[in-house]
Every structure is written in structure tokens, then in C-alpha cells.
Amino acid sequence: MRLIELDQATLRFGDRTLWSALDLTVEDGEFLAVLGPNGAGKTTLLRVLLGLQQLSAGGVQLHGRTPRRGDPSVGYVPQQRAFDVDLPLRGRDFVRLGLDGHRWGLPLPRAAGRRRVDAALAQVGAGGYADAPVGRLSGGERQRLHIAQALLGDPSLLLCDEPLLSLDLRHQQEVAAVIDRRRREAGTAVVFVTHEINPILSMVDRILFLVGGRWAIGTPDEVLTSETMSDLYGSPIDVLRVRGRIVVVGGAGAGHDEHSEFVEPLPSMGR
């Protein structure tokens, strides 16, 4: 069943067009990766789906209705955030903060809330450090708590805004696996904004690539090709596959060294 539908969606800020005439559907249980350089409108797309940003033109629907703030069917996983090491907030208390944020009136009874929090912690494998101060946890452990918080409403859609940023490779793989396991076991659709495609390459069904007001949608094999990338950027781009990883090499016209891997302003796919 179609969960997300964007029809000729266009978003402008003043004279600048982030993307235009975007047609996109996302099915239940699908894993969509959103790639593109900084400023291409990746996070803004998530804001549209969260009901926080209006389109300039076109339409968007979630479950056949207009996106709205605080929709419990939508879970949001943010970028890695630092905490004061002396913050006296336990992991389970941090997760609990997300329980009643979308509700009006009285919060859930304490026992019911505790069961929901414990269930979310178990889903992400964070029960072992649920009582530890969040400021003393590793980046990967904190991201598991963010995912647990996003799962409290039993969402049918997870919106992930660069959740692997600032994590080492091992923690990137662990966090990505937690999100993918939820997708496979519960049929939860995932829209995953990232600069690092390799840690999630085996999980991705399709890619949406945004750049310079243009876009391309398809499987990784369809989008991550020299022809497609060169067309999007208007400059020669070579896409290589090395030992199961994707490395992208662009010419000087793409804004970086001719022999470098994918670095800003292009997304880093080979590091």
C-alpha cells in the first residue's frame, strides 16, 4: 500500500528552487535512501513529511491525508547529538520524553508508559544501559535511544535525518541494522537521509538523489551510475564499485579534486 505520495511537489525559498515537479511514492516496508549535497533539500523533504514545511506547489499525502505535526504514525530519528557528560538523565528517561509529546491532556499512566518504554528499549537492544546517564553513553548507544524514542508510537514510517553522522563504521552498521530490522519485522517504511550510502547499501530498495533543483529516483544500480550522476551534475562523474563498496570520482567541474572520492559538495560514498 502507498504510504507516501508526492505529486509534482516543488519547494522554493525566494528565487531558489530546492526541487521541482517531484513525483515520489513510498510503499509500506520500503527503504528509501535520500542522497545529495548539502543544501539540496534532503532535510527539508523530511520537514514536509513531518508537516513542518509547506510545499510551494504540488501535493503531498501520508496515508491519504495531509501530513500533520505530531502524527504518532511517523517516527523521527535525528542526527547524533552531544550531551553533557554530567547530565543526570537516564537512558530510559530520555526515551520517555518522546512518549507524550504528541498528546493533548493527561499523559499515559506511569505503568503503561513504563511498559511502552521497556518495549521500545528491547526493540533496539538498549536495555542493558537504559539506567545509565545519557551523557556517558557512546554515540551509537545514544542513537539507539533516539530510535527507541521514535518507535514509541509504533510508527508505520520512520524518517531518519543522517542518523549515522559522526559515528564510526562499527556503530554506523549497528544503528543501520536496528532500523532495518524494524523495517523488516514490522513493515515500517524508512526514509533515510544520509551522506554515507555504503553502510546501508544492502538494505536500500531505492534511492532519491537531489541536486541543484534536479532529482533522480531508482534502485541503487539505476541511480548510482556514471551516466545518471554525470547528467544530474552536468559534469563528468565516474561511479566505481570496489569490493562491494561504491566510490565516486568527479572532475573539476563537479567542484572537487579530479582524483578524490566523493567529498563535499558531493555526498561522500566511498569513505
Side-chain angles (χ1 to χ4, degrees), residues 51-67:
L52 303 176
Q53 176 69 53
Q54 295 291 316
L55 292 173
S56 303
V60 56
Q61 290 191 327
L62 264 63
H63 295 297
R65 60 179 182 264
T66 301

Side-chain angles (χ1 to χ4, degrees), residues 208-222:
L208 168 63
F209 203 105
L210 303 170
V211 57
R214 307 182 69 193
W215 51 271
I217 299 172
T219 66
D221 286 341
E222 291 169 339

Side-chain angles (χ1 to χ4, degrees), residues 26-228:
V26 176
E27 307 284 336
D28 287 340
E30 184 174 4
F31 196 124
L32 176 76
V34 183
L35 303 176
N38 287 339
K42 303 184 300 296
T43 295
T44 308
L45 175 62
L46 298 188
R47 288 178 55 81
V48 168
L49 298 176
L50 287 166
L52 303 176
Q53 176 69 53
Q54 295 291 316
L55 292 173
S56 303
V60 56
Q61 290 191 327
L62 264 63
H63 295 297
R65 60 179 182 264
T66 301
R68 68 183 193 274
R69 294 171 181 251
D71 186 344
S73 72
V74 181
Y76 174 67
V77 182
Q79 295 180 17
Q80 170 71 284
R81 295 172 182 172
F83 290 90
D84 190 317
V85 295
D86 295 321
L87 183 68
L89 183 69
R90 298 181 304 168
R92 68 172 62 254
D93 298 326
F94 172 77
V95 174
R96 172 82 197 216
L97 290 175
L99 189 56
D100 301 307
H102 63 280
R103 297 175 183 272
W104 292 98
L106 295 175
L108 285 176
R110 186 170 185 83
R114 184 169 58 249
R115 287 193 296 270
R116 292 269 291 277
V117 169
D118 287 344
L121 288 166
Q123 284 189 66
V124 303
Y129 48 84
D131 293 309
V134 293
R136 298 186 181 275
L137 299 177
S138 71
E141 290 169 339
R142 289 197 297 270
Q143 279 301 72
R144 286 178 184 248
L145 295 179
H146 278 297
I147 298 168
Q149 193 179 81
L151 295 180
L152 286 174
D154 193 24
S156 56
L157 172 64
L158 274 181
L159 303 178
C160 306
D161 189 8
E162 298 197 40
L164 308 184
L165 198 64
S166 302
L167 299 181
D168 61 30
L169 180 59
R170 179 174 68 85
H171 284 119
Q172 285 182 346
Q173 293 171 334
E174 290 175 354
V175 168
V178 168
I179 293 171
D180 189 50
R181 184 168 64 248
R182 165 70 188 198
R183 183 270 294 247
R184 289 183 284 103
E185 293 178 352
T188 302
V190 175
V191 177
F192 196 104
V193 170
T194 183
H195 276 77
E196 297 287 346
I197 189 61
N198 285 308
I200 62 170
L201 187 58
S202 64
M203 308 169 187
V204 170
D205 294 309
R206 288 189 302 154
I207 287 173
L208 168 63
F209 203 105
L210 303 170
V211 57
R214 307 182 69 193
W215 51 271
I217 299 172
T219 66
D221 286 341
E222 291 169 339
V223 174
L224 299 179
T225 68
S226 299
E227 181 180 7
T228 298

